[in-house]
Structures are given as structure tokens and as C-alpha cells.
Amino acid sequence: MPLFGNTPSTPSTTEQPTHVARQWSDSFGGIATRCLQAIIVLVIVIGIVYAAATLSVVTIPVLLALIIASAMHPVVSWLRRHKVPSVLATLAVLVGVLIVLGLVGWLIVVAVVSQWPDLQKSALSGFDKLQDFASTLPFSIDQSQIDQAVKGVQDFVTSSQFGSGALAGASATANFLTGLVLMIVVLFFFLKDGPRIWEFLLRPFTGARYQRARRVGDRVVHTLGGYVRGTATVAAVDAIGIGVGIAIVGVPLALPLAVVVFITAFIPIVGATAAGILAALVALVALGPVQALIVVGIVVLVNQLEGNLLQPVLMGKTLKLHGLVILIGLTAGTVLAGITGAIISVPLLAAAWGAIQVWDGPDTPARAWRQKRPETIEAR
């Protein structure tokens, strides 16, 4: 028999699996394989989240620009359909967004500056009332303890730790300005060339995968835009209702507090409530406990109006997320990116859920998330 040649080989018997192959092919081996796959996916996700958090000066402005562009896309499209040049339509919408954001900041600054002296006087009077109230408590708080607490605050303000905190604040201001400029630039290009940018990103896909990517992109833009427009309307109603109520009561800084209500209303579940607590604290310090209770009643009334009427009518099916999912998303977003993360986490979760709902077709969710049986819960 030659050593080299194309001699036909004799059919071999069926190869028996090795010991290692048998260990990985049983039930425990299947579980181990799934666990290994889950660990790999988890490591990749953690890496992406870590990179996004490390580059937050870039990622957060881009995400904010994407959310705002999704909300303003119908306006830009309407202007283009009415023969307005693309650049002019983009600039008009961009300038309008910047005017609204600048007006909100200007209202806060002007109102605080104009009413700050009155608030200082009211705060001093309220602090004296708190001291008098503390003297009537069942447990004793003597003057030396109060003086010691005040001295601790003064020592912190004059310490090097406070100075380092001021330097950190200056650095945060610089990062904020950098992110603001980046967001404006990215927002301009998203408004002007958003569909073209998306088509460029879809070049690697063809056939069914391309159609899926188009569906997902359209649903994400629709979800983000609907969420922002609906939430902005709800936030405006909250701000007007609470602002008018606390102004009638006579709470100082009513205008900036109303603006704070509008901003925090973009944080579901806790935003408007936190702003209402702040308004009640201002009323407590400036006017007294009776007015503070009235403010609390106003906040509860407006929140009930929002939850039972405005949210279902204005938001519709845009935000079909369970309250527990929203709460976990808020917590994760706050840990990763502070207040900004709390604001953008929920719309991003809603967009991700919307993408899952059209993964396999216009009305066909991804296979794993389809309803496979009647999901009824029996009372026990």
C-alpha cells in the first residue's frame, strides 16, 4: 500500500463520545453551557455599561439628542412637507428647542434672585419657630446641642473638604458645558440627517434582517417621541396646577418651584412627588405648618389628576411598563448617571420594550416574549 495516495478509506464504525463529551451532553452539561453563555453575555453588557458610564460626557448628550430629535421629528417632517428647505427647518426647530430650554433656566434664575431676600427672612423666622417647637418635644434638645450643630456646619464650610467640593463643582460645570455643546451639535445632525444616518448604519443588513432593523428603528423613534411629547404635556399641567395653587397660598418662589415641578415630572413615580415635598418644605419654613398642609393637599390632588386622567389619555400605549420595572430602571439610571440617568432611563426602557414588540413582525413580538397561554391568576 503506498504511503501517499488517494486510496479509498474503509468506512469506520460510529465513533463513541469521549468522557468529556458525555459530561457536557447530559442535563447538567446543558445547564453549565447555558450558564457559560449567560456569563459571557453579562460580561459584554457590563463592559458596554461601564464604557457608557466612563464616557458619560459623550453618551448622555448623544442619548438626550436622540430623545429630543425623536420628539421633534414630526415637526421637522411637517416643515419639509410644506416646502421648507431642510436646513431652515432644522435650524428653526433647533432654535425653538434652545429657546425653550433657555427660558426655563432664565425663569428659575430670575425668580430665585428676585425673591431670595424674602426667602432668607422667612427662613430665619421659620428656623426660630423650629427652635421653639423643639423645646416642646418630649425629649430635650438644649441650646448647646443646637449651637454645636451650627458650628459643625460652619466648620465644614470653612474646611478644605468644602473647598475640594467647590473644585469638583467647577469641574462638573465644565463637563456640563462640554456636554451641552455636544448635545446641540448632535441634535442638529439628528434633526437634519436622522433617517440618512440610520440607513447608513443599516448597510450591513439585507433581506429580513434589514426589514427587522427598519421596524425596530421606526418603533424606537415613535416610542421616544410619544413619551417625550406626552410627558411634557403632563409636566406642564402639573407645573401649572401646583404653581397656581402654591401662588394662591402665598408660598415664596412659586415660579421657580413650578419650573422644578415641570422638570422633575419627567421622572416617573417619584419626580412630581419630590417637587411637591420641596414646595411643602418651603411653605413650612416661610409660612407655617397649616400652609404646608394645604400645599401637600394641592400636590396630592394634582398627582391624582395626573395618574387617573392625564397619563392614560395622553400617554396611551407609549409607556406599557410595569411599575416595578420603572422603579428598577430609575434606580439603575440614578446610580449610573444621577438625575440625568433617572430622566432618560425610563424612555430608553420603553423604547427597548417597543423594539421587542415588533422584533418578528409589525405586530409580532420576539418569540421569547410572546404570550403562549392565557395568563390568568386565580384568586387564592
Side-chain angles (χ1 to χ4, degrees), residues 169-186:
S171 176
T173 302
N175 290 336
F176 171 78
L177 294 177
T178 302
L180 179 62
V181 173
L182 179 61
M183 187 198 73
I184 294 173
V185 174
V186 175

PDB file of all heavy atoms in Angstrom, residues 169-186:
ATOM      1  N   GLY A 169     -17.200  70.910  41.894  1.00  0.00           N
ATOM      2  CA  GLY A 169     -18.337  71.561  41.256  1.00  0.00           C
ATOM      3  C   GLY A 169     -17.934  72.336  40.014  1.00  0.00           C
ATOM      4  O   GLY A 169     -18.658  72.342  39.016  1.00  0.00           O
ATOM      5  N   ALA A 170     -16.765  72.989  40.059  1.00  0.00           N
ATOM      6  CA  ALA A 170     -16.276  73.693  38.875  1.00  0.00           C
ATOM      7  C   ALA A 170     -16.000  72.713  37.736  1.00  0.00           C
ATOM      8  O   ALA A 170     -16.317  72.982  36.566  1.00  0.00           O
ATOM      9  CB  ALA A 170     -15.013  74.481  39.216  1.00  0.00           C
ATOM     10  N   SER A 171     -15.411  71.560  38.076  1.00  0.00           N
ATOM     11  CA  SER A 171     -15.172  70.539  37.055  1.00  0.00           C
ATOM     12  C   SER A 171     -16.481  70.017  36.477  1.00  0.00           C
ATOM     13  O   SER A 171     -16.597  69.809  35.255  1.00  0.00           O
ATOM     14  CB  SER A 171     -14.365  69.385  37.655  1.00  0.00           C
ATOM     15  OG  SER A 171     -14.187  68.348  36.730  1.00  0.00           O
ATOM     16  N   ALA A 172     -17.471  69.806  37.340  1.00  0.00           N
ATOM     17  CA  ALA A 172     -18.773  69.342  36.849  1.00  0.00           C
ATOM     18  C   ALA A 172     -19.416  70.382  35.937  1.00  0.00           C
ATOM     19  O   ALA A 172     -20.065  70.032  34.938  1.00  0.00           O
ATOM     20  CB  ALA A 172     -19.693  69.027  38.031  1.00  0.00           C
ATOM     21  N   THR A 173     -19.225  71.670  36.263  1.00  0.00           N
ATOM     22  CA  THR A 173     -19.766  72.728  35.401  1.00  0.00           C
ATOM     23  C   THR A 173     -19.117  72.697  34.028  1.00  0.00           C
ATOM     24  O   THR A 173     -19.793  72.846  32.996  1.00  0.00           O
ATOM     25  CB  THR A 173     -19.557  74.096  36.066  1.00  0.00           C
ATOM     26  OG1 THR A 173     -20.192  74.109  37.348  1.00  0.00           O
ATOM     27  CG2 THR A 173     -20.128  75.206  35.203  1.00  0.00           C
ATOM     28  N   ALA A 174     -17.788  72.499  34.011  1.00  0.00           N
ATOM     29  CA  ALA A 174     -17.089  72.408  32.722  1.00  0.00           C
ATOM     30  C   ALA A 174     -17.587  71.217  31.913  1.00  0.00           C
ATOM     31  O   ALA A 174     -17.810  71.324  30.691  1.00  0.00           O
ATOM     32  CB  ALA A 174     -15.582  72.311  32.952  1.00  0.00           C
ATOM     33  N   ASN A 175     -17.776  70.064  32.571  1.00  0.00           N
ATOM     34  CA  ASN A 175     -18.299  68.888  31.871  1.00  0.00           C
ATOM     35  C   ASN A 175     -19.714  69.135  31.358  1.00  0.00           C
ATOM     36  O   ASN A 175     -20.079  68.694  30.261  1.00  0.00           O
ATOM     37  CB  ASN A 175     -18.285  67.675  32.800  1.00  0.00           C
ATOM     38  CG  ASN A 175     -16.891  67.187  33.108  1.00  0.00           C
ATOM     39  OD1 ASN A 175     -15.953  67.428  32.336  1.00  0.00           O
ATOM     40  ND2 ASN A 175     -16.733  66.504  34.226  1.00  0.00           N
ATOM     41  N   PHE A 176     -20.507  69.857  32.159  1.00  0.00           N
ATOM     42  CA  PHE A 176     -21.872  70.161  31.732  1.00  0.00           C
ATOM     43  C   PHE A 176     -21.881  71.029  30.478  1.00  0.00           C
ATOM     44  O   PHE A 176     -22.640  70.771  29.533  1.00  0.00           O
ATOM     45  CB  PHE A 176     -22.621  70.865  32.867  1.00  0.00           C
ATOM     46  CG  PHE A 176     -23.958  71.417  32.456  1.00  0.00           C
ATOM     47  CD1 PHE A 176     -25.059  70.577  32.324  1.00  0.00           C
ATOM     48  CD2 PHE A 176     -24.114  72.769  32.201  1.00  0.00           C
ATOM     49  CE1 PHE A 176     -26.288  71.082  31.935  1.00  0.00           C
ATOM     50  CE2 PHE A 176     -25.340  73.282  31.809  1.00  0.00           C
ATOM     51  CZ  PHE A 176     -26.430  72.432  31.684  1.00  0.00           C
ATOM     52  N   LEU A 177     -21.040  72.053  30.455  1.00  0.00           N
ATOM     53  CA  LEU A 177     -20.983  72.929  29.283  1.00  0.00           C
ATOM     54  C   LEU A 177     -20.499  72.162  28.051  1.00  0.00           C
ATOM     55  O   LEU A 177     -21.017  72.350  26.947  1.00  0.00           O
ATOM     56  CB  LEU A 177     -20.083  74.130  29.568  1.00  0.00           C
ATOM     57  CG  LEU A 177     -20.585  75.091  30.649  1.00  0.00           C
ATOM     58  CD1 LEU A 177     -19.567  76.196  30.894  1.00  0.00           C
ATOM     59  CD2 LEU A 177     -21.927  75.695  30.252  1.00  0.00           C
ATOM     60  N   THR A 178     -19.491  71.296  28.260  1.00  0.00           N
ATOM     61  CA  THR A 178     -18.998  70.488  27.141  1.00  0.00           C
ATOM     62  C   THR A 178     -20.103  69.581  26.597  1.00  0.00           C
ATOM     63  O   THR A 178     -20.312  69.479  25.377  1.00  0.00           O
ATOM     64  CB  THR A 178     -17.802  69.631  27.583  1.00  0.00           C
ATOM     65  OG1 THR A 178     -16.767  70.489  28.087  1.00  0.00           O
ATOM     66  CG2 THR A 178     -17.258  68.813  26.427  1.00  0.00           C
ATOM     67  N   GLY A 179     -20.818  68.913  27.509  1.00  0.00           N
ATOM     68  CA  GLY A 179     -21.911  68.047  27.074  1.00  0.00           C
ATOM     69  C   GLY A 179     -23.033  68.818  26.407  1.00  0.00           C
ATOM     70  O   GLY A 179     -23.654  68.323  25.453  1.00  0.00           O
ATOM     71  N   LEU A 180     -23.301  70.047  26.891  1.00  0.00           N
ATOM     72  CA  LEU A 180     -24.363  70.855  26.295  1.00  0.00           C
ATOM     73  C   LEU A 180     -24.033  71.218  24.850  1.00  0.00           C
ATOM     74  O   LEU A 180     -24.890  71.108  23.953  1.00  0.00           O
ATOM     75  CB  LEU A 180     -24.586  72.114  27.126  1.00  0.00           C
ATOM     76  CG  LEU A 180     -25.661  73.085  26.625  1.00  0.00           C
ATOM     77  CD1 LEU A 180     -27.029  72.406  26.623  1.00  0.00           C
ATOM     78  CD2 LEU A 180     -25.685  74.352  27.467  1.00  0.00           C
ATOM     79  N   VAL A 181     -22.789  71.653  24.628  1.00  0.00           N
ATOM     80  CA  VAL A 181     -22.382  71.996  23.258  1.00  0.00           C
ATOM     81  C   VAL A 181     -22.449  70.766  22.356  1.00  0.00           C
ATOM     82  O   VAL A 181     -22.949  70.820  21.216  1.00  0.00           O
ATOM     83  CB  VAL A 181     -20.961  72.596  23.265  1.00  0.00           C
ATOM     84  CG1 VAL A 181     -20.456  72.802  21.840  1.00  0.00           C
ATOM     85  CG2 VAL A 181     -20.942  73.918  24.026  1.00  0.00           C
ATOM     86  N   LEU A 182     -21.971  69.620  22.865  1.00  0.00           N
ATOM     87  CA  LEU A 182     -22.014  68.395  22.073  1.00  0.00           C
ATOM     88  C   LEU A 182     -23.451  67.993  21.765  1.00  0.00           C
ATOM     89  O   LEU A 182     -23.763  67.578  20.639  1.00  0.00           O
ATOM     90  CB  LEU A 182     -21.298  67.273  22.819  1.00  0.00           C
ATOM     91  CG  LEU A 182     -21.283  65.900  22.131  1.00  0.00           C
ATOM     92  CD1 LEU A 182     -20.563  65.979  20.797  1.00  0.00           C
ATOM     93  CD2 LEU A 182     -20.622  64.852  23.038  1.00  0.00           C
ATOM     94  N   MET A 183     -24.340  68.129  22.748  1.00  0.00           N
ATOM     95  CA  MET A 183     -25.731  67.767  22.517  1.00  0.00           C
ATOM     96  C   MET A 183     -26.360  68.637  21.441  1.00  0.00           C
ATOM     97  O   MET A 183     -27.109  68.142  20.586  1.00  0.00           O
ATOM     98  CB  MET A 183     -26.527  67.904  23.816  1.00  0.00           C
ATOM     99  CG  MET A 183     -27.949  67.378  23.718  1.00  0.00           C
ATOM    100  SD  MET A 183     -29.045  67.987  25.018  1.00  0.00           S
ATOM    101  CE  MET A 183     -29.282  69.679  24.483  1.00  0.00           C
ATOM    102  N   ILE A 184     -26.061  69.936  21.457  1.00  0.00           N
ATOM    103  CA  ILE A 184     -26.625  70.840  20.451  1.00  0.00           C
ATOM    104  C   ILE A 184     -26.152  70.452  19.053  1.00  0.00           C
ATOM    105  O   ILE A 184     -26.937  70.400  18.096  1.00  0.00           O
ATOM    106  CB  ILE A 184     -26.257  72.297  20.783  1.00  0.00           C
ATOM    107  CG1 ILE A 184     -26.944  72.725  22.081  1.00  0.00           C
ATOM    108  CG2 ILE A 184     -26.650  73.228  19.647  1.00  0.00           C
ATOM    109  CD1 ILE A 184     -26.508  74.081  22.584  1.00  0.00           C
ATOM    110  N   VAL A 185     -24.861  70.158  18.922  1.00  0.00           N
ATOM    111  CA  VAL A 185     -24.316  69.793  17.608  1.00  0.00           C
ATOM    112  C   VAL A 185     -24.924  68.477  17.125  1.00  0.00           C
ATOM    113  O   VAL A 185     -25.367  68.353  15.972  1.00  0.00           O
ATOM    114  CB  VAL A 185     -22.784  69.698  17.677  1.00  0.00           C
ATOM    115  CG1 VAL A 185     -22.218  69.183  16.362  1.00  0.00           C
ATOM    116  CG2 VAL A 185     -22.176  71.061  18.013  1.00  0.00           C
ATOM    117  N   VAL A 186     -24.950  67.465  18.026  1.00  0.00           N
ATOM    118  CA  VAL A 186     -25.510  66.165  17.639  1.00  0.00           C
ATOM    119  C   VAL A 186     -26.999  66.291  17.331  1.00  0.00           C
ATOM    120  O   VAL A 186     -27.513  65.663  16.385  1.00  0.00           O
ATOM    121  CB  VAL A 186     -25.256  65.135  18.754  1.00  0.00           C
ATOM    122  CG1 VAL A 186     -25.938  63.811  18.433  1.00  0.00           C
ATOM    123  CG2 VAL A 186     -23.763  64.907  18.932  1.00  0.00           C
TER     124      VAL A 186
END
